[in-house]
Amino acid sequence: RRRRMHRAAVSLARHSLVAVSSARNTMAMARAPIAPLAAKKSVAVSSATTSPLQFGAAMRAPGAPRAAPGTQRRAFAHRSAILARASPATTETPAETAAPKTERRKRVLSGVQPTGSIHLGNYFGAIKNWVGMQEDFDAFYCVVDLHAITPGNHDPKALKLSTRSSAAIYLAAGLDPEKSNVFVQSHVKAHSELCWLLNCATPIGWLEKMIQFKEKARKAGEDVSVGLLDYPVLMAAGILLYNA
């Protein structure tokens, strides 16, 4: 084991000496006077078959003296510290610059129930703000028809017509499908699916504490809809579904 370590150390020292000698010869070539172009000889060097020491000898200027073998080691001891601290100067610029990282925009989810006709309160209180927010946010705007049926006393035909008219008003008010996502809530099945999964993990005691449910249950008695009790879970499902 010690012999192998000794041979490895000797081999490393030899390679280091050859590399430093090549660098020293190149520096000597740079200090030598430049010969006229007419007298300059071209030297063809193959990097695949030429050692660093041979490369330095081939590129040596014609007038530069060859260092004596005995002075190479002394020169190595004297110049190694300088070469170790030297850093190559370059004027090259990188061909490509790294593309700037784009941060993910904040996501917004909002909607209006299609119960009746959308009035000025809906426009000034919500839809007008949505138009400006679609420029700065990853916006999702939906017609929340699933929330509209929670009381349980809706008219299916009237709900279908009001859903279509609400979507049309969204677009007429300035929501651009190229900048924001405009859709109908019931058209995305994941709303109902995630709501059911959350139902199985939500204690009913939390839902019974909702003030709106207590007031409706006090008036309607046993006819109160389970959808009204489950309204917060459906709302949470929408928020989590879009990570809004």
Side-chain angles (χ1 to χ4, degrees):
R1 183 178 180 182
R2 291 181 179 178
R3 291 180 180 177
R4 289 197 301 267
M5 294 178 62
H6 179 70
R7 286 197 298 268
V10 172
S11 177
L12 179 61
R14 288 178 179 175
H15 285 291
S16 300
L17 181 60
V18 170
V20 174
S21 178
S22 176
R24 179 170 52 81
N25 293 334
T26 305
M27 293 175 62
M29 178 191 66
R31 290 195 299 268
I34 301 176
L37 294 177
K40 187 175 180 180
K41 297 181 180 181
S42 61
V43 180
V45 180
S46 174
S47 59
T49 59
T50 306
S51 65
L53 188 58
Q54 293 172 343
F55 176 78
M59 295 300 296
R60 187 184 299 110
R66 183 181 180 87
T71 61
Q72 291 183 358
R73 295 184 180 179
R74 291 195 298 271
F76 167 72
H78 177 69
R79 297 181 181 178
S80 59
I82 299 177
L83 294 176
R85 292 193 301 267
S87 59
T90 179
T91 58
E92 296 180 358
T93 57
E96 297 181 358
T97 56
K101 295 183 178 179
T102 56
E103 297 183 358
R104 176 183 176 274
R105 296 198 301 177
K106 293 183 178 180
R107 185 167 294 177
V108 173
L109 171 68
S110 188
V112 173
Q113 292 188 24
T115 51
S117 59
I118 295 180
H119 46 75
L120 290 178
N122 298 129
Y123 174 75
F124 288 107
I127 300 176
K128 184 179 179 180
N129 296 329
W130 296 354
V131 176
M133 293 171 65
Q134 67 181 349
E135 302 291 340
D136 302 322
F137 294 89
D138 189 11
F140 289 79
Y141 301 126
C142 60
V143 181
V144 287
D145 55 342
L146 292 180
H147 285 288
I149 65 176
T150 53
N153 55 357
H154 66 282
D155 182 359
K157 293 183 179 181
L159 179 62
K160 183 177 181 180
L161 293 176
S162 61
T163 298
R164 292 176 64 88
S165 63
S166 297
I169 292 175
Y170 281 8
L171 301 178
L175 294 183
D176 187 356
E178 297 294 332
K179 299 179 181 179
S180 57
N181 301 276
V182 182
F183 60 99
V184 178
Q185 185 184 24
S186 62
H187 292 181
V188 182
K189 298 186 297 181
H191 284 273
S192 302
E193 295 170 353
L194 183 55
C195 181
W196 172 251
L197 295 177
L198 293 179
N199 280 335
C200 298
T202 304
I204 192 172
W206 293 1
L207 302 177
E208 291 177 343
K209 294 179 181 179
M210 188 174 62
I211 297 178
Q212 185 179 4
F213 173 75
K214 289 181 177 180
E215 294 177 352
K216 294 290 183 66
R218 192 177 299 113
K219 296 179 180 179
E222 295 182 354
D223 294 333
V224 65
S225 171
V226 177
L228 183 62
L229 176 69
D230 205 36
Y231 187 94
V233 181
L234 180 61
M235 184 179 296
I239 297 173
L240 294 176
L241 185 63
Y242 299 94
N243 193 22

